Amino acid sequence: MLTEVSDALATFAFAGFLCAIIAQVAYRYIGISMVWSEELARLLNVYMVFFGVILVTARRGHLKIDVLERSITSPLFLRTLRIVHLLLALVFLLCLAYGAYLLTLSSWGHRLATMAWANHGMFYLAPLIGSLLSAALIVLQIVEEFTSARAEEGLC
Amino acid sequence: MIQGLFMLGYLVILLAIGLGAAFAMGLASLIYFGAARGIDNIPFEIMVQRVVSGIDSFTLLAIPLFIFVGHLMNESGATTRLFSFANNLVGPMRGGLAQVNVLASMLFAGMSGSGTADAAGLGNIEIRAMRDAGYDDRTAIGITVGSSLIGPIIPPSIPAILYAILAGVSATDMLLAGLIPGLLMALVLMLMSAYYARKYNQPRGIFPGFAKLWSSFVAAFGALLTPIILLGGIMFGIFTATEAAAVAGLWAFFLATMVYRSMGLIGIISVLRRSAYDSAAIMFILGCSAILAWILTRAQVPMTIANWLIGLSDNPIFIMVLVMIFLLIIGCFMSVAVAINILTPILVPIMIVYGLDPVHFGIVMIMLLVIGEATPPFGMVLYVITNISKRPFEFVVMASFPYIVAILGVVIIIAIFPQLALWLPNAVR
């Protein structure tokens, strides 16, 4: 459910900034200035990235160097390594979420230059949502690793 | 400063144990702040500010848009049309399908900024056609891997945009600087294919006649216009790199839905979803690398390394060779996007100290890192072609080797003659 919603929102944000840039080009050539389109495109891009990060985390698709992982043959060692990765990622995401929370609060009152209805806090709300939900998914993945380890021990 | 160097050490360890690149960069920065300022004084707000400012750039929007155009062209059947046109044009030569392979990849490179997209889209068609025509797998696989590497060099190029943002140079200059080196890569691969065609008496195709050649040109015409829209728009100052990417996206959408009629709403949504996913994976790394770049600049790490290198030698050629060898090795272990994110803030200030042009260095750097896409153990193009060709990974590596050496030769030529990269951006400016 969470990944489906993130997927839909990231796709919507992508389509949104594509339209905003095209509108900017089109309106420039018919002589109408759309000063807000660039800021809107940038805002939607930030949301696309952080909704996308939730999806990338859910699919364990973060780019990495997996030479060590591929050279390990022991399932126990491999699982331990995966849990270490997840715990380290969790620490970073929680720090990011905390920083984003502080910034969202402090900049919520500051309006954007070209879009009166929006404010600077909205730029930081995206990493807050993205890192918090990604952190939640990582907690689930850690639980999953422990559960499958126990199940395998039970089978043995 | 020492803490800054230690931070690079933490980063190497975290990357080596296989932690996601974005997390590795973020955590290395977090450890740096903890060590330098104390655990109670970690500036979480600055970290988030850097991440968001690393992503929040209008120029950067070109990356997801280039990814979108590449996916859309692959899914809409444009690749098949390009291959068919290239086949009718140069297929009748001896070893013609190897030439077709390079020509089709070169044309596709004008719409996609990624080698993996080229390998996944055209690779399948190219290898199948070459096998059916009686080419041995070594030639079919080798030339397919080699020609896939043209994609990230000829504009639109995703690595060029990444580099431009991190190095603080013009994205337009970087995109234009890649054109001649990319064409030179294609030329060298074509010459090599012609040599092998004679040496191994490879088959030649039958000329289909001018009527069929013309009809295949007409069928591919829409797709062939994409690079003209992109480059023409940028070169004549009609739009910025990002706007050109968006217009190319609209054009690709128009081709897929109205001209080729190969994609409906569901297909378009699927391409948008894949583009958003791929873009998020790359741009999250870019955001996290912005914290790292900020720390490196404040701790004056690049300047310290530059001073150390000057102590070693003040000869820019020696330093360039040293850095090129380093990049070639790094490219084997890191993806192009990750390596550019980490190394650009360190290497560019050093190269400027030695009087090298950052745009020229950027093209050399990108070309060396792109070679890593076709070298073990991290070469994504190798994995894609292994999957497509159903041959062992080792076989694909060995088959690609001569072509990779040829491309390395091109990089050395570009490094020796900067004007090959700089002439076009200087002429347009």
Side-chain angles (χ1 to χ4, degrees), chain B residues 98 101-102 126-127 130 136-149 189 192-193 196 374 381-382 385 389 395-404 407:
Chain B
N101 196 316
V102 180
E126 290 166 343
I127 291 175
M130 288 181 85
D136 62 294
D137 265 9
R138 195 169 288 274
T139 307
I141 289 170
I143 192 67
T144 306
V145 171
S147 65
S148 297
L149 302 189
L189 290 177
M192 211 173 154
S193 301
Y196 281 145
V381 168
L382 290 178
I385 298 296
S389 65
F395 181 87
V396 176
V397 172
M398 290 314 292
S400 321
F401 185 71
Y403 299 95
I404 301 307
I407 291 170

Side-chain angles (χ1 to χ4, degrees), chain B residues 127 131 137 141 384-393 396:
Chain B
I127 291 175
R131 277 176 173 165
D137 265 9
I141 289 170
V384 171
I385 298 296
T386 302
N387 187 36
I388 288 171
S389 65
K390 308 289 177 225
R391 292 297 300 250
F393 182 73
V396 176

Side-chain angles (χ1 to χ4, degrees), chain A residues 1 32 43 75 84 128 131 136 141 144:
Chain A
M1 172 70 180
I32 301 171
L43 181 66
V84 170
L128 174 60
S131 31
Q141 287 169 359
E144 208 175 281

Side-chain angles (χ1 to χ4, degrees), chain A residues 118-136:
Chain A
N119 60 62
H120 279 284
M122 287 179 178
F123 273 97
Y124 299 113
L125 186 64
L128 174 60
I129 297 170
S131 31
L132 263 186
L133 293 178
S134 297

Side-chain angles (χ1 to χ4, degrees), chain B residues 308-325 351 354 356:
Chain B
W308 176 74
L309 284 172
I310 288 168
L312 205 66
S313 166
D314 56 1
N315 182 351
I317 298 170
F318 173 76
I319 296 301
M320 185 72 165
V321 172
L322 204 69
V323 169
M324 282 174 72
I325 296 169
M351 291 297 128
Y354 277 93
L356 293 158

Side-chain angles (χ1 to χ4, degrees), chain A residues 7 10-11 14-15 17-18 21-22 24-25 28-29 37-38 41-43 45-46 48-53 55-57 59-70 81 84-86 88-89 91-93 95-100 102-103 106 123-124 127 138, chain B residues 14-23 26-27 30 44-49 51-52 55-58 60-61 64-65 68 237-239 242-243 245-247 249-250 269 272-273 275-277 279-285 288 291 333-335 337-338 377-378 383:
Chain A
D7 192 3
T11 309
F14 192 107
F17 78 66
L18 175 66
I21 301 168
I22 289 168
Q24 178 173 313
V25 179
R28 190 195 312 146
Y29 283 97
S37 62
E38 184 175 324
R42 281 175 21 226
L43 181 66
N45 177 47
V46 173
M48 187 268 293
V49 172
F50 283 98
F51 284 129
V53 164
L55 211 58
V56 177
T57 306
R59 294 180 191 165
R60 301 193 186 205
H62 288 285
L63 291 174
K64 61 183 178 180
I65 300 169
D66 59 353
V67 182
L68 181 67
E69 246 175 286
R70 276 193 276 141
L81 186 67
V84 170
H85 288 168
L86 289 169
L88 291 173
V91 171
F92 176 63
L93 285 169
C95 291
L96 207 61
Y98 178 62
L102 296 176
L103 273 173
S106 63
F123 273 97
Y124 299 113
I138 283 183
Chain B
L14 291 169
L15 286 170
I17 64 164
L19 185 65
F23 299 130
L27 269 179
L30 198 65
F44 295 107
E45 292 105 314
I46 290 179
M47 287 179 68
V48 177
Q49 233 170 17
V51 172
V52 172
I55 298 166
D56 174 24
S57 145
F58 191 67
L60 196 65
L61 293 176
L65 296 170
F68 175 66
I238 300 167
F239 6 83
T242 307
E243 289 172 352
V247 173
L250 184 68
I269 290 173
L272 279 170
R273 285 174 62 194
S275 307
Y277 179 89
S279 309
I282 293 176
M283 287 169 75
F284 186 48
I285 300 175
C288 292
I291 320 173
F333 298 95
M334 277 187 197
S335 72
V338 176
F378 201 70
Y383 289 108

Side-chain angles (χ1 to χ4, degrees), chain B residues 171-183:
Chain B
T172 304
D173 283 0
M174 276 307 293
L175 287 175
L176 294 176
L179 186 62
I180 294 174
L183 294 176

